[in-house]
Amino acid sequence: MSVFGGPNLRNRGLWFLVLILALVAISLAIATPIFSRVPGLKELQKKPKYGLDVAGGIRFTFKANLDQLTPQERADWPTKYVPQTLKTLEDRAARNLGVVEANVYLKGDDRFVVELPGFTNVDEARRVMSRTARLEFWWARNVGNPYNEAKPYVESEDPSRPEGYRSVFRKAIAAPDEPPIEPGSDEWKRMVSGWRLLTTGDTLQSAEVASLGTGNANIVIQFNPEGTRVIHRWAISEAVLNKKQNLAIMLEGRVISFAYVKDGNTFQDGGSTIEGHFSLSEAQTIVDLLRSGALKTDLVEEDVKTLEPSVGQTALHQILIAGFSSFAIVSLFLIVYYLFPGLLAFLALCCYTLFCYSIFNWIGVTFSLAAIAGFILSIGMAVDANILIFERMKEELRHGRSLLTSIDLGFKRAFPAILDSNVCTIITCVVLANVGTGPVKGFAVTLMTGVLISLFTAITITRSLLKLTQGWGIAQNPMMFGAGRGWFGERLEAEANDRPLQIMKNMKIYFALSLALIVPGVIFMGLGGLKYNVEFLGGVEALVALPPGAPTSSKALNDMLEAKGLHSPNTKITAGPNGYEASITLPLKPINPDLAALVDSSNTEDKLKAQVMIASAVGADSSIVEKQIGTGAASRTVKSILGFEHASETVRKETWLGAIWGVIFSSVLIVLWLTIRFAMSGWIAGLRFGFSAIVALLHDVLVVLGLAAIMGYFVNWEISQLTITAMLTVIGFSVHDTIVIFDRIRENLRRPLTGEDFDHLVDRSITQSFARSINTSATVIVTLAILVAFSATPDLRHFTLAMLVGIVSGTYSSIFNASPILALLERRVLKRKGPSATLLHTQKAHEPEPDVILRRKGGDDGEAPVDERFGQTKRKR
């Protein structure tokens, strides 16, 4: 009787199939509009949330001024005021700017990143998002009023002042030509120190605009019970009632309304009117700010980036083509090479893609180009588990196992390698999500979510479908499982015991080849090939549309910029949708002080002059025009500037620290994980595996950095956060193949051949794992090659090319570096401590006797005993 053919197992398989179909239906309801008319399902659907590099828009980085907080408020900052600030910024984006898909998140302890897709008016966004909107109600006791004019200060109106801010104050004994007291001055502070704070906007219950019918408006407010109690008790006090005392209403430190309390007004109902010279638009802005809530502290702008939507739409179209092409090629490979199980894996891959997209939409993942690339990459990685399982199944079939037992053992024996490799990728994703900005975080989230879902689809769904079809008597012929296929080196496995690849014997050659790959990159690093983008350099980066006939070489444009006094430029040229585009990076202080003065100015005109300076220097259209794109009012911008980013010195330092700590944390955590997982006879043994993997991994990082230096030297490619993302992804993924080989070494250590030394065991393990190492890497390499071909932006192309080269290098180093390094460590242990300390000896000492662990499996099919020692290694307790 078949082990999978019993009625209970068939019933469980049917129930699982029903569960999968239910998950598919729910995912379709979330991801597509086909169920939009079904009651209750429309609410499940959400539109994709695109990043700035797709939808265009603005990204600000603000730093909270924590020096303004009291010690108690500082203590409450992480738990109380950070969530409050995030919500306030989100509400402002939606209420004031109309950006319902804004992305607001905390970076570090005191920085807030605000992304406004589709919104292009930088001035309006800056004015709304960084305002504290702190409303305060003061009793101006030292300012003259009709009841008592003998006060130190007097108030009047200045019609030339901006709307809502016309109240001006002077000393009562001031000379006629003496200017009014400026807010924030020492005299202003002395005056306000004599006032008494009554309450703040925190006690407001509502705020509404009251039009006056003349284009102006007042603001009608209603206090909550607490505010009503405070303001009423003040109004009926002996010092205030019917004595025309002054009530000053301040917004962000400026008086927007100043009037005495009329006789008989006690604010008993908690209602009041802010009478100021507000236009309808200004009144509405204030009301929206009050409804969104005030900020506890000032937000200081540190970085701003703008990008036109037209740039992102072309990039989105190209990367989607890459995604569909990659999915088609990977699916075709599965079906053609692995036949029937490949077909089931294809169905699981379809489920994987649908589940991922639905979950991304549901949790609100921002689809930046990097995040979409991470999603596409995860499709290539999702089949790795299936490849390892199918190769194991084929191996068991070649050893004479029955089809049913081969399926069972294929899943069981592939699982340790699948778990270890995916955990290493998750480790790097967690690090990236914590040290990266928007696009980097998006890439990390999509890749990590994809890895977790792939474990479910590749193992659970594929396995259940195989069991179900076997129980139904479908595909009983082993040839339908590709058992005879040996296109990528599987035939080497048949001779692995007697004629393994001679890797250990020739390790010096492979080390020399690795050195030859690394040295050119190191040379170009020394020649200044590593060029840094605005995040690492600090300064500005402008994306400029070049006019027809303009020079299209980086050197020519750099010379033009130098001739105009813009020093140390780095220019990259790309073909955009409407012609050539130049991405120009320029440092600021002390190299370009004039440009720095304009960029750092709080004056909008100065910031526009900085963009005009860059555009005119390369002969682009430097005229200032008004553009209405997406939501918000039209903004003034330079016609040829498609994108502009300014990063402060603080952002520069933070980016460098994030990159350094990201590499360190990822490497240390991977070493710890591998040490624990391969601690077969103690943690020292596990540390040898972990150390060997990290040395090979650092080889891959140096190869990626060398590529960046070479490309930077010849075509001015820059190191960006995406480059660091590529390196960290390589760190996580390059150990995949290493783990596959180390897993086979771990198994063979439990069952060495008679008289076998460690070098031969490693060669045998590499030979047995050669085909699956090539196959698992091939799907990712093909995916990345397609992404490189279809990348529309220089940063994305550099990002995907860096990962492609890193993973090719990782495949090489896993076979020809990591295992030989492990063998060298064993030789050193043998020489210094003798045979008793080697892995061969210590592992054998920890193994139980074979007759204890052999069992018969397969019921009536006459299956031979299955050696459970090939399962996951566990330390003896």
Side-chain angles (χ1 to χ4, degrees), residues 705-780:
L705 277 177
L707 169 73
I710 294 170
M711 300 302 292
Y713 186 85
F714 288 106
V715 294
N716 291 328
W717 278 15
E718 295 174 338
I719 298 286
S720 68
Q721 283 214 46
L722 286 179
T723 311
I724 304 303
T725 302
M727 283 200 301
L728 291 176
T729 305
V730 167
I731 286 175
F733 188 81
S734 69
V735 296
H736 278 212
D737 290 332
T738 303
I739 288 172
V740 171
I741 295 172
F742 281 3
D743 183 62
R744 181 48 66 102
I745 292 174
R746 176 170 57 184
E747 290 185 3
N748 287 337
L749 280 169
R750 306 182 70 183
R751 194 178 183 180
L753 300 177
T754 302
E756 185 176 39
D757 61 14
F758 191 75
D759 281 7
H760 186 275
L761 185 144
V762 172
D763 281 339
R764 180 162 64 96
S765 300
I766 293 174
T767 307
Q768 291 170 336
S769 308
F770 191 83
R772 61 208 66 181
S773 295
I774 297 299
N775 288 354
T776 53
S777 296
T779 55
V780 179

Side-chain angles (χ1 to χ4, degrees), residues 139-143 145-148 151 234 239-247 259-262:
W139 177 14
R141 297 180 293 185
N142 55 9
V143 180
N145 59 62
Y147 184 81
N148 184 359
K151 298 286 185 179
W234 170 76
V240 177
L241 184 63
N242 297 329
K243 293 181 180 179
K244 296 180 172 57
Q245 292 297 305
N246 292 317
L247 180 63
Y260 63 83
V261 180
K262 297 176 182 178

Side-chain angles (χ1 to χ4, degrees), residues 378-534:
S378 72
I379 293 175
M381 296 173 65
V383 300
D384 283 1
N386 284 132
I387 289 174
L388 291 176
I389 292 165
F390 296 161
E391 290 295 334
R392 281 287 197 172
M393 287 165 48
K394 289 165 61 178
E395 180 181 350
E396 298 303 326
L397 287 170
R398 286 193 293 269
H399 288 165
R401 307 287 187 196
S402 72
L403 181 57
L404 300 174
T405 303
S406 297
I407 292 173
D408 190 39
L409 293 179
F411 278 91
K412 179 179 180 180
R413 293 177 177 173
F415 183 75
I418 294 170
L419 175 65
D420 293 337
S421 60
N422 281 286
V423 166
C424 291
T425 299
I426 290 172
I427 286 172
T428 57
C429 288
V430 170
V431 172
L432 281 172
N434 282 277
V435 304
T437 54
V440 175
K441 290 173 73 73
F443 172 84
V445 169
T446 55
L447 185 58
M448 181 169 60
T449 305
V451 167
L452 292 172
I453 296 174
S454 72
L455 286 173
F456 171 72
T457 56
I459 295 177
T460 308
I461 294 182
T462 306
R463 180 172 187 167
S464 298
L465 290 176
L466 275 171
K467 286 187 174 184
L468 189 61
T469 53
Q470 288 300 301
W472 287 343
I474 300 174
Q476 299 290 315
N477 189 338
M479 298 305 294
M480 297 184 68
F481 285 71
R485 293 278 171 84
W487 298 352
F488 301 104
E490 287 92 336
R491 297 187 186 281
L492 293 171
E493 296 181 16
E495 302 175 347
N497 289 353
D498 301 319
R499 299 176 57 186
L501 297 171
Q502 299 297 305
I503 306 297
M504 300 303 104
K505 180 180 179 181
N506 299 308
M507 68 171 67
K508 291 183 179 179
I509 297 175
Y510 301 124
F511 288 158
L513 182 56
S514 293
L515 197 62
L517 291 173
I518 294 172
V519 168
V522 174
I523 293 173
F524 280 99
M525 289 181 203
L527 294 175
L530 289 178
K531 294 181 170 64
Y532 306 102
N533 83 333
V534 64

